[in-house]
Amino acid sequence: MGVFISYIFLGLSLAAPLGPINAAQINQGIKNGFFHSWLIGLGSIVAELFFIIAVFFGVVHFLEIPFMKTFLWSFGAFVLFYTGIESIVSSEKLQINQNRKKESLKKTFTTGFLISISNPLSILFWLGIYGSVLANTINRYDNFHLILYGVAMLVGLMLWDLTMAGVSSSFRRFLTQRTLKGISVFTGLVLCGFGLYFGIQAIKILFYI
């Protein structure tokens, strides 16, 4: 049980640093409330589950191909730019009115999934982190325990997801409409910034810089 809890804390620590998903969660939380923010994180967790399975079965070696790296960086840049620009543009229409039309839950979940599944940093991150977990435990535990510890990490991610959704959706109640728009623009710029970084990485691989 102690090891299981330690991996939950590992999952929490992995989710905490500011990245595209956290920025998107904050953006959705202040604009649309708890469930939209939570679904961004849930979509990300589903994508990360794919990464864990891929690492477990050794599929990640396929991602070392330069073409795949270029494609992932480019697709990730597109998703982040699109999400960021959409956040900036929609900030002009942002209203505190709770009765206004919100984005569909399906679209919100898909956005979180695409941001995470198209993020090469997440792929490399899980390759390093979960790969290390496998290397550390594969000789001491059976497959059941390996899966169990992977689940523990996902539980930690889910706890952080709920925390971010709760904080961002609660915080919006104390903000003015002008401040909400400012935060929406800021988080949009953060996403575009990550998109620019991804695009530069794609160009470097493409031209062997």
Side-chain angles (χ1 to χ4, degrees):
M1 181 59 69
V3 177
F4 184 83
I5 293 175
S6 70
Y7 278 109
I8 291 178
F9 280 107
L10 176 60
L12 281 168
S13 64
L14 296 180
L18 179 63
I21 287 297
N22 282 345
Q25 277 197 283
I26 294 170
N27 183 41
Q28 284 292 335
I30 63 171
K31 288 200 301 184
N32 297 312
F34 176 85
F35 283 107
H36 285 75
S37 180
W38 175 68
L39 280 172
I40 284 284
L42 184 61
S44 173
I45 289 171
V46 171
E48 287 164 345
L49 178 59
F50 278 100
F51 296 150
I52 288 177
I53 293 172
V55 173
F56 187 81
F57 288 104
V59 180
V60 289
H61 297 295
F62 176 69
L63 302 175
E64 292 297 317
I65 300 173
F67 171 79
M68 286 303 301
K69 286 183 177 181
T70 304
F71 172 77
L72 288 170
W73 283 115
S74 301
F75 185 62
F78 169 77
V79 171
L80 291 172
F81 268 120
Y82 177 83
T83 307
I85 291 173
E86 184 181 50
S87 174
I88 294 171
V89 172
S90 65
S91 68
E92 293 299 320
K93 304 175 183 178
L94 185 60
Q95 298 176 0
I96 300 179
N97 181 9
Q98 298 292 331
N99 296 320
R100 67 181 178 82
K101 184 178 180 180
K102 298 180 179 181
E103 294 180 7
S104 71
L105 295 177
K106 181 179 179 181
K107 179 182 178 182
T108 304
F109 173 85
T110 303
T111 298
F113 178 82
L114 287 176
I115 289 176
S116 191
I117 201 73
S118 65
N119 186 350
L121 290 179
S122 291
I123 298 172
L124 295 173
F125 193 74
W126 282 101
L127 173 61
I129 297 299
Y130 193 61
S132 299
V133 170
L134 284 178
N136 184 48
T137 59
I138 197 166
N139 294 322
R140 294 190 293 168
Y141 301 100
D142 55 21
N143 287 340
F144 172 77
H145 284 88
L146 292 177
I147 294 172
L148 186 65
Y149 296 149
V151 169
M153 294 171 69
L154 289 175
V155 169
L157 293 172
M158 289 179 184
L159 289 174
W160 181 259
D161 178 21
L162 290 170
T163 301
M164 285 292 295
V167 170
S168 60
S169 59
S170 300
F171 191 53
R172 71 196 291 261
R173 302 173 186 174
F174 304 100
L175 301 176
T176 64
Q177 185 165 314
R178 182 177 179 182
T179 306
L180 289 175
K181 289 181 178 180
I183 294 175
S184 184
V185 170
F186 174 74
T187 53
L189 290 173
V190 169
L191 290 170
C192 286
F194 280 109
L196 178 62
Y197 174 76
F198 281 25
I200 292 173
Q201 297 306 309
I203 293 172
K204 283 184 176 180
I205 296 175
L206 187 62
F207 294 100
Y208 300 101
I209 297 177

